[in-house]
Amino acid sequence: MRRSILAVVLVPLFLGLLATSAYPTTRYVSQGGGVLSAGTACNGQTAISVATFNGTSLSAGDTVFLCGTITSQVAPRNGGSSGNPVVLQWDTGASVRVCNASNGAVFINTLSFLTLDLGGNTTAVVCPNNGTTLGSQLDAIGIGSNGAGWNNVEIRNGTVGPMYVYSGTANNGFGSICISGANGTNNTFIHNVNLLGCAEGMEIDPTSNSTDEFAAITADGSVGRVLNYASGSGSNILLNMKFHDSNINYSSVWSVPGGFEHYEMIHQYNTGNGGSQDNVSSLIYNNLFTGISPTNSGSTALMFIGEGGSSCSASSTNKALFFNNVIVDTGNSNSGFSSGTGSYFYSQDCEHTLTIYNNTVVVTNGASNACFRAANGLLTNNNWIVKNNICVGANWAYFDDGKEPKTSDFNDFFNIGNGGWQWGSSSFSSLAAWSAGTGNDSHSISANPNLNGNFIPNLGSPVSGAGANLTSLGIAQLNVDKAGNARLATGNWDMGAFIVPRTLVNPASNLTAVAH
């Protein structure tokens, strides 16, 4: 009898809880809604319209398939929760084809825990017929937040752009952005994404403690600056960023009039707003840059680390650790960065630390560039640590305006041009003179590294065993080379991004396998 009474009480209660609980839902969205007859997951499903979807409240764990060609802004109303994001999934062939210059073709203003899976589509987000010589000249945005940011957003697997097809030296398109999180963009993970046709590929400006990662990004010269990463309007924040395993091929570049964007692969800076103590720290590794160095007057470097708007009184820091990167500058008609003393690794102003290990830089065009450049050095909390790098063909090995504190050693500087080594007002024409005059690079060499077509040192290269062993630093990603080959736990390392292949000993022919 007691069990019967208990069942009478509990069963209705349980059913009531079921009725009021929110469960993940799968939805299908097309431009106008209705039964669908294309795509893969969408085929045969009944979709709601974009307008209906934009007004629909979502639950944590919901999956939303975008179906077919969509020509109006997609704006999810809310995100999910930790461990249960809302997922926007592009179906096979799905494409959001919208030109929006204010907040993006896909608008995710202030949302949290949201995943955008672009479905491997090559036109996942695009602004059609927009560019210098095309039907319109809008500063279109692909995925945007209207400057209000987002939190815990993942964007993956597909192409964003072109948003603006730039040509010539026209005075337009400079506000086009493929992915614009802007101020307040915290905890962003963007990976396996191809960027096309935008002045800025990704603009990410966190305003609170944030961990951000950009992996397996591809872009070409239709993108002006690949990543803009900076502390936003917040104060006393800690930022940690990774940019790795990406392939940037500038077969052509934005070549615009003076006074515009810094068109660099990575532009990282610390704004130090209002005297705040912002601390930016990044790992930039395993990347490949090939092609033409930027040529407009606003371009200074491939990788730019600067203090931004601070007056060097904020006691903030901007740290970048570069390793296992391969940079191959094949030249352009303007002989490299138009500033004349641009570089591949570049710092500006104050409160920065650049640590540069095991990178390979090859300049094949005699461009007027430096491998390493410290510009406008104000000597306030600055430091450079440069070891195990290969620098071939640059006009300057170092160009340092202000004699910034530096620890440089175990590098190979080969075929350096007439610029040589610049140290404040002092110039050195040889590695030996540089070392004697500054105390740097006493173990460095000036020898042909004998690289193959993939920029891997051939067997017998002088860079073999000529580097410092950095195992004690405890950086797991550095303990293997760019190809994933383990570096030595003891003994001298090889210089450059790749280890030198070792000779394999042929096994004896009379050995017999024994089963265990």
Side-chain angles (χ1 to χ4, degrees), residues 49-70:
S49 69
V50 174
T52 299
F53 167 71
N54 288 349
T56 299
S57 294
L58 306 173
S59 298
D62 281 3
T63 297
V64 179
F65 281 93
L66 300 184
C67 309
T69 298
I70 292 174

Side-chain angles (χ1 to χ4, degrees), residues 397-412:
Y398 278 106
F399 193 107
D400 191 330
D401 294 345
K403 296 186 177 181
E404 292 196 8
K406 187 179 279 80
T407 301
S408 180
D409 209 355
F410 298 96
N411 302 294
D412 184 14

